[in-house]
Amino acid sequence: MSATWLPPEEYAETLLKATAFACLFFTDEDDRPVQLRAVYSQAHPWQWPGGTMDPGERPWETAVRECREETGMVLEGPTRLLAAVYGLPGAEWPYSTVGFVFDGGRLTAERIAGIALDPAEHDTVRVLSLEEWRAHMPERDFARLRAVMEARRTGVTAYFDAWDWDD
C-alpha cells in the first residue's frame, strides 16, 4: 500500500497544534526561588518572568524580551536550559503547550529590590525557600518548581509533562 503524499500546507493542517512559551528562573544568592505574583491568574498565581513566543521569535529571545517587559531586567545569554515543559490541550485552551525554562542565575538583594514590575501582569516579587513556596502554590505548580530546582542543582535538564490544561 502506498502512502498518499500531501502538499506541505495540507499536511501541516493534520498535525498537532501547540503554543510555545519561554521564561527565566531566578533564585537569590541563597538559592531561594524568586517568583512574581500574577494579577490575571488565580489558578497559577506565582510565575517566572516569561510568556508566549511571538511569531519568528526563538525561545531564548522570548525569555529575554518577556523578562525585560515584566521586570525591567536585561539579560545576556543564552544560558542553560533547565526544563522542557509540556501540556495537553483542554477546555481552557485548545492547543498543546510547549515551554522552555532557562536559568536566569542568582540575583543579589539589590537586583531583586530593583525589579520594576509591569502592573498589568504582576503585583509582587517574593523570595521564599523551596518548602515555603509549597503553601502558596497549587501542587502541580510546586512540582514544576521542584523539578526546575533539581535541574539547577544537578545540571540535568528536567522534562516536565504534567502541565495539562484540564488539571
Side-chain angles (χ1 to χ4, degrees):
M1 189 188 288
S2 64
T4 303
W5 182 86
L6 294 174
E9 303 80 27
E10 288 181 42
Y11 178 66
E13 290 303 314
T14 70
L15 299 176
L16 170 80
K17 304 297 185 274
T19 56
F21 73 89
C23 59
L24 285 156
F25 174 74
F26 296 98
T27 61
D28 70 357
E29 292 178 304
D30 295 319
D31 284 330
R32 297 179 303 169
V34 176
Q35 297 196 90
L36 314 177
R37 186 172 62 196
V39 298
Y40 54 83
S41 178
Q42 297 293 323
H44 305 285
W46 294 98
Q47 304 176 357
W48 306 315
T52 305
M53 292 173 58
D54 286 343
E57 203 171 43
R58 296 180 190 280
W60 173 251
E61 294 169 334
T62 298
V64 169
R65 175 184 53 78
E66 288 281 347
C67 184
R68 184 183 65 252
E69 291 172 0
E70 294 177 4
T71 69
M73 292 190 297
V74 177
L75 267 77
E76 302 293 324
T79 63
R80 182 168 51 117
L81 180 67
L82 291 176
V85 178
Y86 180 80
L88 292 170
E92 290 183 55
W93 188 249
Y95 300 113
S96 293
T97 302
V98 177
F100 304 88
V101 182
F102 292 98
D103 191 348
R106 291 174 175 82
L107 302 176
T108 64
E110 294 78 25
R111 192 132 188 230
I112 294 168
I115 291 174
L117 295 177
D118 175 354
E121 296 202 41
H122 302 97
D123 64 3
T124 303
V125 176
R126 188 172 286 172
V127 179
L128 298 171
S129 71
L130 180 62
E131 282 309 311
E132 289 172 319
W133 275 116
R134 184 185 294 273
H136 300 279
M137 305 174 76
E139 183 54 39
R140 180 176 62 154
D141 293 14
F142 183 74
R144 183 180 70 154
L145 173 62
R146 191 174 49 237
V148 168
M149 286 290 291
E150 181 70 4
R152 161 84 84 71
R153 186 184 69 74
T154 63
V156 177
T157 303
Y159 172 65
F160 191 80
D161 68 352
W163 201 248
D164 300 347
W165 281 94
D166 279 343
D167 287 346

